[in-house]
Amino acid sequence: MINRLHLMSRFSRQVLMMIIDLITLWSVIIIAFYLRLGFFYFPAGELFWLVLFAPLVAIPIFYRFGLYRAIIRYMGFRAIVVVFKAVSLYALIWSIVIFLTSVDTFSSNVWVTYGVPRGILLIHWVLLIFIIGGLRIIIREVLNGNFELFLRHSKLRTIKKRALIYGAGYAGVELASALEYSSEYKPIGFIDDSAELIDQQIKGLNIYSNTQLHNLINKLKVDEILIAIPSASRSERNKIITQLEIFPVVVRILPSLSELAGGKISISDLRQIEIKDLLGRESIAPNKDLLDKNIFGKTVVVTGAGGSIGSELCRQIMPLGPKSIILYELNELALYKIEKEISELNVDQIKICPVLGNINDKKRLSDVFKFFTVNTIYHAAAYKHVPMVELNITEGVNNNVFGTLNCAQAAIDSGVETFVLISTDKAVRPANTMGASKRTAELILQALSVIQNQTIFSIVRFGNVLGSSGSVIPLFQKQISQGGPITITDPNMVRYFMTIPEAVELVIQAGAMGLGGDVFVLDMGKPMKIYDLAVKMVNLSGLKIRNNENLKGDISIEYTGARSGEKLFEELLLGNNIFETDNKLISRAKEDMIVWDILEPILTNLDIAIKSTNHSRVRELLIELVPEFKPQNLIVDLLYQE
């Protein structure tokens, strides 16, 4: 029966409810007579016809008040008020009709009374409110899966997840209200740190102290804990998540207030804990003057606009009011996606120009920069996947080194004011070709800054960003969802992590501080062991690591060995010459450079080695340019033996 209710069309359900109300109306009138007279009485004569046609008064009124338009499974208090009003209006009209017709109540052989007793009309009204409203509440509870008895044999029966809501504030109460109509969750209580709220109740749910969690998990059979404190700072969220990590439950969280759409809270806002929630460092309010300096009212180019960093640069540039934004990208699909996305954000009618182009095409770059009279360039285009570049040395170096050189020279020729290079921590004492190529790109900009003053070149260096293409986070999530194992290269592998939006916001500010040839380093916070990261992700999914100490665990971890060119840890600085800026998350580094007269002939030889596909020579020249480059025994040696 319940299955059929779920599968019925909306119109069929409306008709069904009308039939139920019709039967209810007749039944309530008979019951009202019985309760008032003390014996069963079936209306006869004129009264029979008034009873028979009572639904002709009621059904139109119920329809007009929306009793058949409301979605029953989401009925709340307001809907019950509507039922009260609709039934009251019907009862009033029907009572007036009864009095105006002055019919007598007649029972087989005995005159009981002259006219219909007023008590019958009153009883009829009260019963109808309770039954019409009550039936809808019962149906709502059945449809929402709250009556196990009704659902025991239903194919659509769903076992609701028993959820504790962490946070008994406004957001927690809103979430509890949303969960009332959920077929997935059953709220069973609140957790809160406030001593004033402990042992109180909200919406019939008890409020517990966070110190009671250990006992509550088993006592209440908790499946999930939902963190509903969107106003909490990052460090506060981190503290709560760390506290919950030890329990065998799934932990989900509401996003911050700034991320909630219009401040409204719904079940769809809940998401699994992400690594960005575990970063304890607080962000710093950006300097609006620095954000605007190179963007407001100017023409801005983003190379690699379809990549993870490039696309976020586009998103953050748009609200800063540029005159126009040029999306320079080699990949057609990536360009289409980012152009479509930011066009939907374009409330100020900013000119958006998607340009298909290769950064190794210097003429194309110069034509674009001159045609649009470009003021600012953010150079994010690069080959950055370490193992992939190791297998494709010539292409990787050609793109990262000479692509940057082409962009820089085209910028100078076109009179571009500011050029910002997105660099990487892998450029510091590189162990791989990708890092060495990015350090060479840095050297090019440092050298060009000395021989000209047309364009201000800046370099912004930072480590791993969460959610970038090739990031370990999506891989771990996929492996956990598939039941494992999680693959880690080395148990001692350590990495810095930062969110893409945070990194890009700092890149824009750092670029505005540049004076020429500056190397800016972003504060990445504390490094995190990849192993610890994997364990946290497993625990917060409500699962446990399977190892020798816990053979009954859910997910195992396997070690695959470091990939070609990977280091156990990354660095952000070559030396100790580091200076603070106005933003404590941005530092200015003073590092050794190579003057252009020495650098240029080495680059010429590097270009010749690339064109002749001489991998050994490419490596020799990279080591000459970057003496700190310590290449490992790379797989490319086996693939390209000369």
Side-chain angles (χ1 to χ4, degrees):
M1 180 63 184
I2 304 301
N3 297 335
R4 292 180 180 177
L5 277 176
H6 277 280
L7 297 173
M8 287 174 66
S9 68
R10 186 178 176 185
F11 175 75
S12 298
R13 291 184 188 182
Q14 289 176 334
V15 172
L16 177 62
M17 285 307 303
M18 288 181 184
I19 294 171
I20 291 173
D21 286 345
L22 185 144
I23 296 171
T24 300
L25 285 162
W26 288 333
S27 301
V28 165
I29 294 174
I30 302 300
I31 293 170
F33 273 99
Y34 175 80
L35 293 176
R36 172 63 179 82
L37 302 177
F39 56 87
F40 177 79
Y41 169 74
F42 190 84
E46 294 180 4
L47 185 56
F48 169 80
W49 295 106
L50 289 176
V51 171
L52 182 64
F53 291 108
L56 294 180
V57 177
I59 300 300
I61 292 174
F62 292 176
Y63 186 85
R64 181 67 181 82
F65 272 79
L67 266 60
Y68 305 117
R69 293 194 302 273
I71 301 175
I72 293 177
R73 70 184 304 169
Y74 300 119
M75 277 185 64
F77 176 75
R78 291 181 181 177
I80 301 303
V81 172
V82 172
V83 169
F84 175 83
K85 292 179 179 179
V87 171
S88 298
L89 179 59
Y90 150 71
L92 177 62
I93 294 174
W94 193 71
S95 299
I96 291 173
V97 171
I98 292 290
F99 283 124
L100 289 177
T101 54
S102 300
V103 295
D104 295 329
T105 305
F106 180 77
S107 176
S108 50
N109 302 320
V110 182
W111 286 98
V112 177
T113 183
Y114 296 99
V116 176
R118 296 175 184 176
I120 290 175
L121 301 177
L122 180 62
I123 294 170
H124 159 251
W125 171 62
V126 173
L127 284 177
L128 207 54
I129 289 174
F130 279 100
I131 295 176
I132 292 289
L135 278 172
R136 281 163 168 77
I137 291 174
I138 291 171
I139 294 173
R140 181 195 72 181
E141 295 302 300
V142 170
L143 290 175
N144 287 333
N146 293 328
F147 284 168
E148 290 295 319
L149 180 64
F150 288 99
L151 294 175
R152 189 165 294 160
H153 303 292
S154 171
K155 293 179 181 178
L156 294 179
R157 177 188 174 190
T158 57
I159 300 175
K160 290 192 174 187
K161 299 170 186 173
R162 297 173 62 80
L164 272 178
I165 299 173
Y166 200 117
Y170 170 78
V173 175
E174 284 276 296
L175 181 58
S177 298
L179 294 180
E180 285 183 14
Y181 309 114
S182 166
S183 59
E184 185 177 0
Y185 291 101
K186 178 180 179 63
I188 56 176
F190 291 94
I191 296 291
D192 205 276
D193 300 334
S194 174
E196 297 177 357
L197 295 176
I198 305 305
D199 295 329
Q200 303 294 317
Q201 281 195 347
I202 297 178
K203 300 182 75 64
L205 302 175
N206 291 329
I207 303 175
Y208 304 97
S209 167
N210 59 354
T211 59
Q212 300 174 270
L213 268 170
H214 186 68
N215 294 327
L216 287 174
I217 298 296
N218 293 324
K219 181 181 177 182
L220 299 180
K221 299 180 180 178
V222 178
D223 297 309
E224 297 196 11
I225 296 179
L226 313 177
I227 302 175
I229 315 178
S231 60
S233 64
R234 185 181 288 177
S235 59
E236 289 170 336
R237 288 201 306 270
N238 188 18
K239 183 178 178 182
I240 293 171
I241 292 167
T242 302
Q243 177 190 15
L244 300 177
E245 184 187 340
I246 62 172
F247 299 112
V249 295
V250 176
V251 180
R252 300 185 193 275
I253 191 170
L254 284 176
S256 64
L257 285 173
S258 61
E259 296 175 290
L260 285 171
K264 298 293 184 182
I265 293 171
S266 67
I267 300 172
S268 61
D269 292 318
L270 286 168
R271 58 172 173 77
Q272 282 194 302
I273 298 295
E274 298 173 0
I275 301 307
K276 67 180 181 180
D277 299 309
L278 304 176
L279 301 178
R281 182 189 60 214
E282 295 300 324
S283 58
I284 294 178
N287 184 321
K288 187 67 167 59
D289 292 336
L290 291 177
L291 291 176
D292 288 344
K293 183 179 177 182
N294 294 330
I295 294 175
F296 181 75
K298 297 189 176 184
T299 298
V300 182
V301 167
V302 178
T303 68
S308 45
I309 296 295
S311 58
E312 181 61 26
L313 273 164
C314 297
R315 294 183 196 102
Q316 293 199 25
I317 287 169
M318 286 296 289
L320 297 176
K323 177 182 177 183
S324 57
I325 179 169
I326 316 302
L327 316 177
Y328 197 90
E329 172 61 56
L330 178 62
N331 185 295
E332 180 189 23
L333 179 59
L335 181 61
Y336 167 76
K337 286 181 177 179
I338 187 59
E339 189 270 339
K340 187 174 186 298
E341 179 183 342
I342 66 171
S343 293
E344 294 173 357
L345 305 174
N346 191 10
V347 294
D348 298 321
Q349 300 302 309
I350 295 165
K351 187 177 182 181
I352 300 172
C353 302
V355 176
L356 278 169
N358 192 326
I359 57 173
N360 280 313
D361 187 343
K362 185 178 177 182
K363 183 178 185 304
R364 174 72 164 161
L365 290 166
S366 294
D367 289 345
V368 170
F369 296 167
K370 289 176 181 177
F371 179 82
F372 290 105
T373 316
V374 173
N375 305 109
T376 304
I377 297 172
Y378 292 98
H379 182 47
Y383 290 149
K384 61 182 181 179
H385 297 287
V386 170
M388 194 65 69
V389 174
E390 293 302 336
L391 292 173
N392 299 273
I393 284 180
T394 53
E395 281 304 307
V397 174
N398 191 41
N399 187 78
N400 293 352
V401 173
F402 292 100
T404 300
L405 178 60
N406 290 331
C407 286
Q409 290 178 330
I412 295 170
D413 295 342
S414 306
V416 173
E417 300 166 8
T418 306
F419 185 107
V420 181
L421 169 67
I422 309 299
S423 192
T424 170
D425 56 357
K426 293 175 177 61
V428 179
R429 279 180 274 276
N432 52 69
T433 305
M434 194 280 279
S437 68
K438 291 296 284 184
R439 176 56 186 149
T440 303
E442 293 181 358
L443 291 170
I444 289 171
L445 297 194
Q446 288 176 301
L448 291 177
S449 292
V450 175
I451 63 173
Q452 58 83 47
N453 55 15
Q454 178 71 46
T455 302
I456 296 175
F457 290 104
S458 298
I459 299 145
V460 184
R461 189 188 289 160
F462 53 92
N464 292 14
V465 287
L466 302 173
S468 65
S469 57
S471 171
V472 72
I473 309 303
L475 174 62
F476 284 178
Q477 289 173 333
K478 180 180 179 181
Q479 290 174 337
I480 291 171
S481 68
Q482 293 175 343
I486 290 178
T487 54
I488 297 176
T489 54
D490 191 284
N492 297 313
M493 187 75 69
V494 173
R495 288 293 181 267
Y496 291 98
F497 288 100
M498 176 182 278
T499 66
I500 293 178
E502 182 181 9
V504 166
E505 187 176 77
L506 293 174
V507 164
I508 294 173
Q509 294 177 80
M513 299 178 188
L515 301 175
D518 306 86
V519 177
F520 294 102
V521 179
L522 304 187
D523 181 356
M524 300 290 295
K526 295 180 180 179
M528 181 181 293
K529 266 191 173 185
I530 300 297
Y531 172 83
D532 293 341
L533 174 63
V535 171
K536 283 180 179 289
M537 292 183 67
V538 170
N539 290 343
L540 292 169
S541 299
L543 305 172
K544 289 298 177 185
I545 294 292
R546 183 169 65 248
N547 51 29
N548 292 334
E549 289 75 33
N550 183 17
L551 297 176
K552 294 184 179 180
D554 306 288
I555 305 289
S556 63
I557 292 179
E558 293 182 358
Y559 301 107
T560 60
R563 297 176 298 179
S564 298
E566 273 192 328
K567 294 195 294 185
L568 290 183
F569 61 92
E570 301 289 358
E571 303 168 89
L572 289 166
L573 292 169
L574 280 169
N576 296 318
N577 294 324
I578 187 78
F579 306 94
E580 293 182 352
T581 68
D582 291 338
N583 189 320
K584 70 178 184 180
L585 298 182
I586 304 173
S587 299
R588 191 191 306 263
K590 185 172 179 60
E591 297 183 346
D592 294 338
M593 58 167 289
I594 301 175
V595 296
W596 182 251
D597 288 343
I598 296 176
L599 180 63
E600 186 179 25
I602 301 176
L603 292 176
T604 300
N605 290 332
L606 184 60
D607 184 40
I608 294 170
I610 289 172
K611 288 176 180 175
S612 61
T613 322
N614 189 336
H615 299 94
S616 297
R617 182 60 176 157
V618 168
R619 179 179 295 177
E620 290 173 5
L621 291 167
L622 285 176
I623 293 173
E624 184 179 350
L625 287 166
V626 187
E628 303 87 9
F629 178 29
K630 305 296 182 187
Q632 300 173 358
N633 185 20
L634 306 179
I635 193 171
V636 72
D637 294 331
L638 301 176
L639 294 176
Y640 299 109
Q641 290 183 356
E642 299 182 2

